[in-house]
Amino acid sequence: MCKMSWIMKWQTTSGFLVYRSYELPWFRTLSWYFLLCVNYFFYGETVADYFATFVQREEQLQFLIRYHRFISFALYLAGFCMFVLSLVKKHYRLQFYMFAWTHVTLLITVTQSHLVIQNLFEGMIWFLVPISSVICNDITAYLFGFFFGRTPLIKLSPKKTWEGFIGGFFSTVVFGFIAAYILAKYQYFVCPIEYRSEINSFVTECEPSELFQLQTYSVPPLLKGVLRWDTVSLYPFQIHSIALSTFASLIGPFGGFFASGFKRAFKIKDFANTIPGHGGIMDRFDCQYLMATFVHVYITSFIRGPNPSKVLQQLLVLQPEQQLNIYKTLKSHLTEKGLLQPSLKL
């Protein structure tokens, strides 16, 4: 809802002014239509991935999920044709400009929100640590810049300084490391969110993976003299938190710079006025632009392995003949590995 509200506010303050000035036909209708199409596609993908067993019990949902991508593409094509039919000779360039603007807006906002939900299903910790690291960086960078800032960082944001940028980086890494240690202790934050069809509810119960179990590490020789420790006990996730915090403090701010440049290009102060004195929701979360994407890529590249629960859900929706073939193949494979005793033939 926050995402939809922000898009509506943004169009009201900038795009809608163009719409009113030039009387572009169907502009607002098409903008909302494309927003609904993109949401239907992304959230339909999520339903297909995580609610397979529930969908299997509902015949109407089975049809929608089976042909989900085709339906999504057909809906988009309908909007595309509506746009072509709405073209007015004297406003061709402006209409194509607004068409591209709408698509870029959807790419930045809806895609990010979809990835946030994907990250949440991996465990609350993958949402809380990254987003809190960005918030921490915003606050500490401001404080360091306010008290020690002397050297301008970038022309797009004259108030940003190198001192704030560097101070925010070190503070964020320390914060992320500590936050990861605290959250990794609790099953609620580290367990993937799963839908249990038998109780018709989400659960966060599991045996924590090695990522969230204390491990003993040798202290590097350079630090032994300072810490006077030979070994240290850490959660492996704390090491990953350093990568997340580093991205949040070094690359995350460029999302804010991007937003500043965007607002300057359209000569607007804020994206909206939802929060009195602070602009809109996007003005407060502009540095979150890239964070959700990075976390998702990081999980899929370095963390995520095969998910037995998800594989089982996919198996349960297959035809009985397909399930039997998979059973025979798996049984033969386990027998060859010596994990199962070969069946005795009479």
Side-chain angles (χ1 to χ4, degrees), residues 169-182:
F169 164 69
F170 287 107
S171 302
T172 303
V173 171
V174 173
F175 169 83
F177 195 78
I178 297 173
Y181 177 79
I182 295 173

Side-chain angles (χ1 to χ4, degrees), residues 56-224:
Q56 185 66 14
R57 300 200 301 261
E58 303 291 335
E59 292 186 7
Q60 295 178 342
L61 291 178
Q62 286 182 36
F63 175 82
L64 292 176
I65 294 300
R66 184 175 182 179
Y67 301 104
H68 171 68
R69 295 189 179 183
F70 180 81
I71 295 172
S72 299
F73 184 63
L75 290 173
Y76 178 81
L77 286 180
F80 180 82
C81 293
M82 288 171 62
F83 167 74
V84 174
L85 293 174
S86 71
L87 290 173
V88 178
K89 186 175 181 179
K90 60 180 179 178
H91 295 316
Y92 284 159
R93 179 176 295 184
L94 181 61
Q95 284 182 283
F96 278 104
Y97 157 77
M98 298 301 289
F99 181 78
W101 180 28
T102 299
H103 280 65
V104 171
T105 302
L106 294 175
L107 176 66
I108 293 175
T109 57
V110 183
T111 304
Q112 293 291 314
S113 66
H114 172 69
L115 294 179
V116 167
I117 292 175
Q118 294 289 310
N119 297 340
L120 276 169
F121 275 103
E122 296 296 327
M124 287 286 289
I125 198 168
W126 290 104
F127 170 76
L128 294 175
V129 170
I131 196 172
S132 61
S133 294
V134 173
I135 295 172
C136 173
N137 183 69
D138 280 346
I139 296 172
T140 54
Y142 170 78
L143 293 175
F144 275 94
F146 182 81
F147 289 107
F148 309 107
R150 296 291 184 273
T151 313
L153 176 64
I154 187 170
K155 291 182 179 179
L156 280 173
S157 297
K159 294 182 179 180
K160 299 290 178 25
T161 64
W162 275 104
E163 291 80 3
F165 187 73
I166 296 171
F169 164 69
F170 287 107
S171 302
T172 303
V173 171
V174 173
F175 169 83
F177 195 78
I178 297 173
Y181 177 79
I182 295 173
L183 295 179
K185 294 180 178 182
Y186 300 97
Q187 193 179 85
Y188 177 79
F189 295 115
V190 304
C191 289
I193 301 174
E194 295 181 356
Y195 175 77
R196 296 279 178 84
S197 57
E198 58 271 17
I199 60 175
N200 194 31
S201 179
F202 288 101
V203 295
T204 53
E205 299 175 357
C206 68
E207 179 66 30
S209 67
E210 292 184 359
L211 200 62
F212 305 106
Q213 295 179 12
L214 281 173
Q215 307 287 340
T216 301
Y217 297 93
S218 298
V219 177
L222 293 176
L223 297 177
K224 282 184 179 180

Side-chain angles (χ1 to χ4, degrees), residues 14 149 267 297:
S14 50
K267 298 179 180 179
V297 171

Side-chain angles (χ1 to χ4, degrees), residues 53 55 68 105 137 181 229 248 255 263 283 331 333:
T53 53
V55 171
H68 171 68
T105 302
N137 183 69
Y181 177 79
W229 297 337
K263 288 184 282 189
D283 292 286
K331 182 180 179 182
H333 174 73

Side-chain angles (χ1 to χ4, degrees), residues 11 13 30 32 52 79 109 111 142 144 163 168 199 241 246 248 262 320-321 325 334 339:
Q11 290 181 340
T13 54
L30 284 173
W32 280 102
T109 57
T111 304
Y142 170 78
F144 275 94
E163 291 80 3
I199 60 175
S241 75
T246 299
F262 194 95
E321 297 80 7
N325 288 333
L334 294 176
L339 298 175

